[in-house]
Amino acid sequence: MTDREEYSPGPAGGAQIEKDGENWTLVLVRELRHPPEKVWQALTDPVHLREWAPFETNTNLGTVGVTVKLTTVGAPTPQATETTVTRAEAPQVLEYKWGGDAIRWKLEAVGEGTRLTLWHNIDRRFISMGAAGWHICLDVLERLLAGRPIGRMVGADAMKFGGWQRLNTEYAKHFGVEAPSWPSPVGQKS
């Protein structure tokens, strides 16, 4: 069995939501065993992003003012968004929009590792799905940084795992929302 076949996401955790009326922000915190400079490269370099992120970019995200094209991966219909990096303070803060939603990354050195915090504005109806998806992406990122890549798992590919359904349900319960029931559990891998 490969590392990818053995992968199963851990329990939901490290997430909260900030509510401002109908605008909800997912806040996800993850402790990584790698220094901020290494994590920064994984957040900004197109080659690294192709290994773990739910989108691809045509340009490095590490420069303020750079215009980039972010293309969603794994969606039924790929969506491309042109956006501008609004904040890039290596290796501490990165901000841009993806599909109109604000994304903010904060990297804090903690010992020899990094506390990575993600803020992502997500439609409240899909906040648990977003949390489950980012949870898996960050698991894949951790393995990539450790030199044990298992390959990107995003979109419909990630949703096929029973672990994704479990995470979606756990995050929905944690956030006090109803878990979207899409896709159906038929044909999922556990």
Side-chain angles (χ1 to χ4, degrees):
M1 222 184 257
T2 67
D3 286 346
R4 183 180 179 96
E5 291 168 333
E6 292 177 359
Y7 167 73
S8 179
Q16 62 183 20
I17 51 175
E18 296 174 352
K19 301 176 186 178
D20 182 13
E22 291 297 308
N23 298 319
W24 287 24
T25 302
L26 170 66
V27 182
L28 193 58
V29 179
R30 183 68 68 98
E31 301 285 333
L32 302 172
R33 296 180 301 260
H34 312 281
E37 295 78 13
K38 188 171 183 178
V39 176
W40 178 265
Q41 184 178 16
L43 294 177
T44 57
D45 184 311
V47 172
H48 286 86
L49 288 163
R50 272 194 288 279
E51 294 294 320
W52 71 271
F55 56 79
E56 292 190 354
T57 179
N58 62 337
T59 304
N60 191 297
L61 299 173
T63 305
V64 170
V66 69
T67 299
V68 299
K69 183 171 135 185
L70 301 179
T71 304
T72 302
V73 175
T77 305
Q79 298 182 14
T81 303
E82 196 167 279
T83 191
T84 302
V85 174
T86 55
R87 192 168 173 195
E89 299 169 13
Q92 298 155 335
V93 180
L94 179 64
E95 295 180 6
Y96 51 89
K97 288 193 177 204
W98 175 37
D101 296 333
I103 300 276
R104 179 175 186 228
W105 299 96
K106 181 177 179 184
L107 296 79
E108 299 171 89
V110 177
E112 294 180 16
T114 302
R115 177 177 298 119
L116 180 64
T117 305
L118 165 66
W119 287 265
H120 183 179
N121 295 104
I122 299 177
D123 184 310
R124 67 180 181 82
R125 297 171 297 166
F126 306 110
I127 199 100
S128 63
M129 291 174 70
W134 279 116
H135 182 117
I136 290 172
C137 285
L138 294 177
D139 283 354
V140 172
L141 172 62
E142 172 65 32
R143 284 163 176 76
L144 173 68
L145 293 171
R148 300 182 333 267
I150 60 174
R152 176 170 29 198
M153 285 187 247
V154 297
D157 185 34
M159 291 175 170
K160 292 176 187 173
F161 287 90
W164 183 90
Q165 288 290 343
R166 177 184 47 79
L167 285 171
N168 183 32
T169 300
E170 289 175 9
Y171 280 118
K173 184 177 181 181
H174 177 69
F175 299 151
V177 298
E178 187 174 328
S181 59
W182 184 85
S184 75
V186 176
Q188 289 180 1
K189 301 178 207 172
S190 52

